[in-house]
Amino acid sequence: MKNIEQLLDNNRNWSDATKLADPEFFNRLYERQKPEYLWIGCSDSRVPANQIVGLLPGDIFVHRNVANLVVHTDFNCLSVLQYAVDVLKVKHVIVCGHYGCGGVEAALGDQQFGLIDNWLGHIKDLAYKHRDQLKDLSPQQKSNRMCELNVLEQAANVSRSNIVRYAQGRGQTLTVHSWIYSLKNGLLKDLEA
Ligand code: CO
């Protein structure tokens, strides 16, 4: 475990190295951001958006929450989506889940965790909706399938949002993607046909 001063040291080193490699890097980004991608992912520390897709600061607008949920009444997530679509005019919204998601697995179990159980209730609802296809699976298969179904559901929620529908109605170019990440090998998979 690194101590907190180490993080500030790391930051100075990173800033120096970045300026050395590209002296205009920070000046360029200071002017404005123009990311083409919005990432909606899990808060899990093992799934850092920029790093796993090889993008730099300025390239990707990010919203993360536990289990990458897009809930129609979550004004935090919806505000990010609206700003990204209407103001930044991103071209792609990537909903990215991951196998072995603690939020999904907690929702499949019976243990109580407090406040977060309410948030995870959305995943419990989803498991109930898909109970027929889940009932004969092993716990591992069930977890994997639910992680996939969750990504597909949240991407559908993005697509059904009035933000995305209005943008498409205006003829704005916008594609919604459903991706899932493997903690075992660091690879992403596109779940859409
Ligand atoms: Co997760």
Side-chain angles (χ1 to χ4, degrees):
M1 177 67 84
K2 291 184 162 81
N3 68 35
I4 201 77
E5 286 79 20
Q6 180 69 57
L7 303 192
L8 296 172
D9 279 349
N10 289 350
N11 168 252
R12 281 185 286 271
N13 293 338
W14 172 77
S15 170
D16 289 346
T18 303
K19 280 181 279 196
L20 197 64
D22 180 357
E24 285 305 305
F25 184 79
F26 292 110
N27 291 339
R28 224 170 31 243
L29 286 184
Y30 179 76
E31 295 299 322
R32 65 174 193 152
Q33 62 167 335
K34 192 75 188 84
E36 291 195 3
Y37 311 96
L38 166 63
W39 177 277
I40 299 175
C42 184
S43 298
D44 193 302
S45 63
R46 298 164 296 180
V47 196
N50 285 66
Q51 215 166 346
I52 63 178
V53 289
L55 292 180
L56 292 169
D59 288 340
I60 188 161
F61 202 62
V62 174
H63 176 80
R64 289 167 71 181
N65 62 41
V66 172
N68 43 271
L69 300 188
V70 179
V71 177
H72 295 304
T73 50
D74 174 10
F75 288 97
N76 182 352
C77 182
L78 293 179
S79 298
V80 172
L81 179 63
Q82 194 248 326
Y83 187 76
V85 171
D86 290 353
V87 180
L88 296 174
K89 302 220 165 17
V90 297
K91 295 188 170 64
H92 302 271
V93 178
I94 300 159
V95 178
C96 184
H98 65 103
Y99 293 111
C101 182
V104 171
E105 292 184 346
L108 290 174
D110 291 325
Q111 210 184 326
Q112 302 292 301
F113 295 95
L115 175 71
I116 195 170
D117 296 330
N118 299 287
W119 182 249
L120 300 179
H122 296 290
I123 307 176
K124 285 186 185 284
D125 292 347
L126 190 62
Y128 184 73
K129 179 174 158 187
H130 295 288
R131 62 193 181 283
D132 287 342
Q133 67 160 297
L134 296 170
K135 70 179 189 305
D136 296 325
L137 301 181
S138 70
Q140 184 64 67
Q141 289 171 325
K142 194 172 170 181
S143 167
N144 289 345
R145 187 62 190 139
M146 266 306 293
C147 289
E148 292 173 350
L149 289 169
N150 183 44
V151 174
L152 293 168
E153 181 79 4
Q154 307 316 319
N157 287 346
V158 170
S159 302
R160 282 195 293 260
S161 68
N162 59 3
I163 299 160
V164 168
R165 284 186 291 118
Y166 291 160
Q168 286 169 338
R170 293 193 298 266
Q172 196 173 323
T173 305
L174 186 63
T175 313
V176 181
H177 307 269
S178 316
W179 290 0
I180 192 156
Y181 178 78
S182 169
L183 298 171
K184 285 185 179 160
N185 59 17
L187 292 175
L188 288 163
K189 183 166 78 179
D190 187 343
L191 290 175
E192 278 164 329

